Amino acid sequence: DAGITQSPRHKVTETGTPVTLRCHQTENHRYMYWYRQDPGHGLRLIHYSYGVKDTDKGEVSDGYSVSRSKTEDFLLTLESATSSQTSVYFCASEASGGDTEAFFGQGTRLTVV
Amino acid sequence: AQTVTQSQPEMSVQEAETVTLSCTYDTSESDYYLFWYKQPPSRQMILVIRQEAYKQQNATENRFSVNFQKAAKSFSLKISDSQLGDAAMYFCAYRGTFSGTYKYIFGTGTRLKVLA
């Protein structure tokens, strides 16, 4: 399995506080992705990266920002957490353009109270 | 924009029987990839099977096979000889190959129950 880890695995935070989730991969993959999973919605793309400092928005990017200063790390920040951002967050990485597969982290369960 | 639709929120199958999960997608691209991912209760996302759009031959992985109909934009998954361990959420996904489409678009998922 590809070495991709998310931290933290679980987090409870208060409304209005900033939160940063980290995704770390050891495979030198070029592409990295952040998704959120909610019942009835499947996985929805928040942001993705196609290289260091190269990022783009997904379909549910409002309220989220990302940074990728190194190949191995992709950070997701909730600037001011809201209850609607309570979800399970998945990070994924991929070596190249669809030739391989996306490898997923184990997910972070975030609860905003 | 590309979209992926899974119209079956839940399916059931008897152990050892065959079940087919449906997926349709919409795109204007001619070259792309399609995937089925499995998510068991552990939450881990596991690749089941991959299809390249330029290949007419349907992909097969052991008991899992797809029926890829490019003109109809349909990509169904057939599970043969279903086992209890096949019980999971199954997600269909699309990945483009052109700039701006380097992202996986997922359907809403189908929960598969396997009955003993």
Side-chain angles (χ1 to χ4, degrees), chain B residues 24-44:
Chain B
T24 59
Y25 59 95
D26 191 26
T27 184
S28 58
E29 296 182 324
S30 59
D31 194 17
Y32 47 87
Y33 296 86
L34 297 166
F35 304 81
W36 279 98
Y37 276 86
K38 171 185 178 181
Q39 186 183 46
S42 67
R43 233 166 48 189
Q44 184 64 45

Side-chain angles (χ1 to χ4, degrees), chain A residues 1-5 23-33 48-54 68-74 91-105, chain B residues 37 95 104:
Chain A
D1 288 346
I4 180 167
T5 55
C23 180
H24 179 76
Q25 52 103 355
T26 59
E27 304 297 320
N28 200 35
H29 286 173
R30 177 183 176 186
Y31 300 94
M32 296 187 76
Y33 309 87
Y48 66 105
S49 170
Y50 46 96
V52 174
K53 291 184 169 45
D54 291 323
R68 192 168 179 203
S69 58
K70 298 184 290 185
T71 297
E72 58 267 33
D73 289 326
F74 193 33
C91 173
S93 70
E94 181 189 30
S96 62
D99 258 3
T100 56
E101 64 182 89
F103 293 91
F104 284 80
Chain B
Y37 276 86
R95 193 210 193 274
Y104 287 73

Side-chain angles (χ1 to χ4, degrees), chain A residues 35-45 59-60 87, chain B residues 4 6 89 91-92 105-109:
Chain A
Y35 291 89
R36 60 177 290 174
Q37 183 176 14
D38 304 288
H41 292 277
L43 279 81
R44 292 182 292 175
L45 183 65
E59 61 181 306
V60 291
S87 187
Chain B
V4 176
Q6 293 180 252
M89 279 290 284
F91 292 100
C92 178
I105 306 298
F106 286 84
T108 52

Side-chain angles (χ1 to χ4, degrees), chain B residues 2-64:
Chain B
Q2 296 79 23
T3 59
V4 176
T5 302
Q6 293 180 252
S7 59
Q8 306 155 317
E10 191 171 292
M11 294 280 287
S12 295
V13 62
Q14 207 70 33
E15 197 176 5
E17 296 296 309
T18 296
V19 65
T20 298
L21 308 184
S22 301
C23 174
T24 59
Y25 59 95
D26 191 26
T27 184
S28 58
E29 296 182 324
S30 59
D31 194 17
Y32 47 87
Y33 296 86
L34 297 166
F35 304 81
W36 279 98
Y37 276 86
K38 171 185 178 181
Q39 186 183 46
S42 67
R43 233 166 48 189
Q44 184 64 45
M45 293 288 286
I46 302 165
L47 177 68
V48 174
I49 201 163
R50 174 180 61 233
Q51 175 81 43
E52 293 93 335
Y54 63 86
K55 290 185 177 179
Q56 292 187 344
Q57 186 173 4
N58 289 324
T60 299
E61 289 286 343
N62 301 315
R63 297 182 295 107
F64 299 87

Side-chain angles (χ1 to χ4, degrees), chain A residues 43-99:
Chain A
L43 279 81
R44 292 182 292 175
L45 183 65
I46 304 172
H47 281 279
Y48 66 105
S49 170
Y50 46 96
V52 174
K53 291 184 169 45
D54 291 323
T55 64
D56 204 352
K57 296 179 179 180
E59 61 181 306
V60 291
S61 60
D62 287 349
Y64 302 94
S65 62
V66 291
S67 65
R68 192 168 179 203
S69 58
K70 298 184 290 185
T71 297
E72 58 267 33
D73 289 326
F74 193 33
L75 304 180
L76 176 70
T77 298
L78 290 66
E79 301 292 345
S80 178
T82 68
S83 59
S84 64
Q85 294 176 312
T86 292
S87 187
V88 177
Y89 291 85
F90 283 95
C91 173
S93 70
E94 181 189 30
S96 62
D99 258 3

